[in-house]
Amino acid sequence: MFRALCINVFAASLLASRLCAAAPAEPPVDAAESAKLAGEVKAEFMHAWSSYRRYAWGHDDLDPISKRPRDWYGKPLLMTPVDALDTLILMGLRDEADAARELIATKLDFDQDIYVKNFEITIRLLGGLLSSYQLTGDARLLHKAEDLGHRLLPVFDSPTGLPYVEVNLHTGKTRGTKTNPAETGTLLLELGTLSKLTGEPRFYDKAKRALVETYRRRSPIGLVGEEIDAATGRWTSTESHVSGGIDSYYEYLWKCARLFGDADCKAMWTTSIGAINRYLADDVDGALWYGYANMQTGARTHTTFGALDAFFPALLALSGDVKRAARLQDSAFAMWQVNGIEPEVYDYRTHAIPYPGYALRPEIVESTYYLYHYTHDPKYLAMGRTMFRDFVRWCRTDAGYAALASVVTKAKKDRMESYVFAETFKYYYLLFAPEALDFDAVTFNTEAHPLRAATNVVQRRQAGKLSDSLRQPITGPGPEGVR
């Protein structure tokens, strides 16, 4: 107990010193070093990608310690090639991108008798196919995306319009009602883009209704909970936060307004961010954090923040609140520096680490990239350099990059998720080589797949008929206080 107390006191002291530091400890990054760092990121990406090609080609993932392939559902859906393709393109790795594109076009088959998780398949595979189609013009990728979109549509056939958790890609049967706002509200960027590209309005309409139905179940003070039943629409957990399970719901409110010009989404964002800043923001010893609160009362329930929460500075910056974003990013980076890499969950009041793992997550890098874009402050390049060096130092293996079981001990875990290729490496690269992509011309989905505003093939219900539903009461059973 005494040792734990000493560690926490030390962590608190270190964190305070990091937050109070006027400038990065290392010298600033100039243009030449930034270009050099971009080259290093590309080389490390190729180290991981080449290992995938050697040991797991045609499968979903590579386990980077045992060097064995892994498939999510027993049969491959090419998670890593689809997730990695737009990163390969942006990095200018033409031969590798062509190989991945041919594999996807000729081998990816969605007509499989397997249940898949709608949320993950949408953000990784549908998002990846659409982004890569827009970058290459290869119609085969759009055809794959449209086929997948139709196979996912049955998830929306619930009594509430909130999607079921899983769908069988062959039979269309659905299962799973225990869900959350991230899973119900993080579908419109992908399905909306599919609508615009194919002229099929159902994709947009179904996904938007799910987003609206989630919003309509917010509490009287404007917050949503972390768990909801898709069949009944009742909240089964009233914890509110910006972490996993809710995070990308808020992200898509703003981003769908940005990509589609959807006025409903902008209105929902405006209401929501006011409640977030009032009840979830937490100023502790001069540092800004976002913690947990009860969705009905706003009472603080937990003072934790972590790797997943670290996306929020990016969203704040994107939506125009750069000052608040910069303060929160300083806190997130200070959390990273306590152990030389960020934990999954960190208690910013006690400085304890309830969950010490590191899953190679990209969110803090994403926020660094966004803030550098909006401020051009070189401190964010130095921040990214520090994080990238730590990432390489602690996570590199002979066959890629491995998650950490503990940021304290640095013990590795035999997992390398496909989002490492889609997000983590991409955001590091774009931070140091921003000229590789026109930031203002795209909107990243939550898997870092850049989507462009498509030709508006369907001139209907972009922000029309569903507008009234934002003001209508829910019919049928719902939690007390829902408007």
Side-chain angles (χ1 to χ4, degrees):
M1 182 175 179
F2 176 74
R3 179 176 179 273
L5 178 63
C6 288
I7 291 174
N8 284 350
V9 169
F10 172 75
S13 174
L14 180 58
L15 185 65
S17 68
R18 300 295 189 191
L19 287 168
C20 292
E26 295 184 83
V29 176
D30 60 19
E33 187 179 3
S34 187
K36 180 175 179 292
L37 285 164
E40 291 176 12
V41 173
K42 185 188 292 190
E44 292 305 314
F45 174 93
M46 276 304 301
H47 167 68
W49 174 252
S50 298
S51 297
Y52 167 79
R53 288 203 65 174
R54 179 177 180 183
Y55 299 110
W57 188 243
H59 293 274
D60 287 343
D61 294 326
L62 167 67
D63 289 341
I65 297 175
S66 61
K67 301 177 183 177
R68 293 181 299 200
R70 177 190 293 264
D71 292 315
W72 283 35
Y73 304 106
K75 299 177 182 179
L77 292 173
L78 304 183
M79 297 285 190
T80 290
V82 175
D83 247 354
L85 180 52
D86 55 19
T87 306
L88 288 162
I89 294 168
L90 292 175
M91 288 185 175
L93 299 168
R94 183 171 299 176
D95 291 345
E96 298 297 332
D98 287 346
R101 183 156 54 98
E102 285 304 310
L103 178 70
I104 293 164
T106 59
K107 299 298 183 182
L108 180 56
D109 180 13
F110 292 123
D111 188 16
Q112 301 196 46
D113 189 10
I114 53 175
Y115 280 89
V116 300
K117 194 163 186 178
N118 176 60
F119 167 74
E120 294 290 354
I121 296 301
T122 298
I123 66 171
R124 298 189 194 215
L125 296 187
L126 186 57
L129 288 168
L130 292 168
S131 173
S132 294
Y133 164 70
Q134 290 186 317
L135 286 168
T136 65
D138 189 334
R140 296 175 298 174
L141 301 178
L142 181 59
H143 293 154
K144 295 285 184 186
E146 186 173 12
D147 176 43
L148 177 58
H150 282 291
R151 294 176 189 277
L152 297 176
L153 279 180
V155 298
F156 296 104
D157 295 336
S158 73
T160 62
L162 298 172
Y164 292 111
V165 175
E166 294 183 314
V167 62
N168 186 297
L169 291 178
H170 178 69
T171 67
K173 293 181 179 179
T174 56
R175 68 186 186 190
T177 63
K178 181 181 177 182
T179 187
N180 57 61
E183 294 186 353
T184 62
T186 309
L187 308 169
L188 184 52
L189 283 180
E190 298 82 4
L191 289 167
T193 297
L194 186 60
S195 269
K196 304 305 178 187
L197 291 171
T198 64
E200 172 53 74
R202 286 188 301 162
F203 298 125
Y204 195 104
D205 293 348
K206 296 280 189 180
K208 182 170 177 182
R209 184 190 171 193
L211 185 62
V212 169
E213 292 294 338
T214 305
Y215 172 79
R216 288 175 60 211
R217 286 167 170 80
R218 71 198 184 282
S219 71
I221 64 172
L223 297 176
V224 297
E226 67 178 3
E227 188 177 291
I228 194 169
D229 189 290
T232 67
R234 294 185 182 275
W235 294 107
T236 53
S237 174
T238 56
E239 288 262 58
S240 194
H241 47 76
V242 297
S243 192
I246 299 179
D247 45 7
S248 51
Y249 158 71
Y250 289 128
E251 179 184 355
Y252 275 37
L253 292 180
W254 178 260
K255 287 186 174 181
C256 290
R258 185 178 195 264
L259 183 61
F260 303 123
D262 193 307
D264 292 338
C265 291
K266 186 173 183 180
M268 291 187 286
W269 163 260
T270 300
T271 300
S272 298
I273 190 60
I276 292 167
N277 287 336
R278 180 174 180 182
Y279 296 107
L280 302 183
D282 200 1
D283 203 303
V284 178
D285 298 327
L288 177 65
W289 303 90
Y290 280 73
Y292 285 54
N294 182 284
M295 67 174 282
Q296 301 291 352
T297 67
R300 182 74 57 205
T301 55
H302 299 290
T303 55
T304 53
F305 185 93
L308 285 169
D309 310 65
F311 87 102
F312 206 60
L315 182 56
L316 289 169
L318 186 67
S319 61
D321 196 346
V322 175
K323 183 177 180 180
R324 187 183 292 264
R327 288 190 65 206
L328 185 59
Q329 180 70 3
D330 286 345
S331 298
F333 185 51
M335 174 185 67
W336 177 288
Q337 291 179 296
V338 170
N339 288 288
I341 206 155
E342 66 181 356
E344 190 74 358
V345 179
Y346 177 77
D347 191 311
Y348 55 81
R349 279 196 177 272
T350 68
H351 308 287
I353 303 177
Y355 298 98
Y358 171 64
L360 308 176
R361 296 204 185 275
E363 286 79 5
I364 194 171
V365 192
E366 172 187 8
S367 290
T368 310
Y369 166 55
Y370 276 57
L371 276 161
Y372 181 66
H373 171 79
Y374 283 109
T375 68
H376 302 290
D377 188 333
K379 89 170 191 177
Y380 294 111
L381 295 177
M383 191 180 288
R385 175 180 58 190
T386 296
M387 293 190 296
F388 182 65
R389 287 175 175 171
D390 291 339
F391 175 72
V392 174
R393 178 183 181 186
W394 299 117
C395 301
R396 196 180 201 271
T397 72
D398 291 339
Y401 277 74
L404 300 181
S406 170
V407 299
V408 179
T409 67
K410 306 302 190 293
K412 290 185 174 67
K413 185 177 179 181
D414 196 14
R415 291 294 286 121
M416 182 171 65
E417 291 269 5
S418 64
Y419 61 67
V420 176
F421 297 94
E423 300 185 74
T424 310
F425 279 114
K426 182 184 286 142
Y427 283 132
Y428 273 125
Y429 183 73
L430 292 175
L431 172 64
F432 299 122
E435 68 280 359
L437 180 67
D438 182 352
F439 180 96
D440 296 318
V442 302
T443 298
F444 291 96
N445 87 331
T446 199
E447 191 79 2
H449 295 305
L451 299 172
R452 298 174 186 271
T455 300
N456 196 2
V457 178
V458 188
Q459 299 290 338
R460 55 169 296 195
R461 287 198 277 191
Q462 184 174 359
K465 290 186 178 180
L466 283 172
S467 297
D468 289 341
S469 72
L470 296 175
R471 295 178 287 276
Q472 293 172 353
I474 293 172
T475 57
E480 183 180 356
V482 169
R483 295 174 289 174

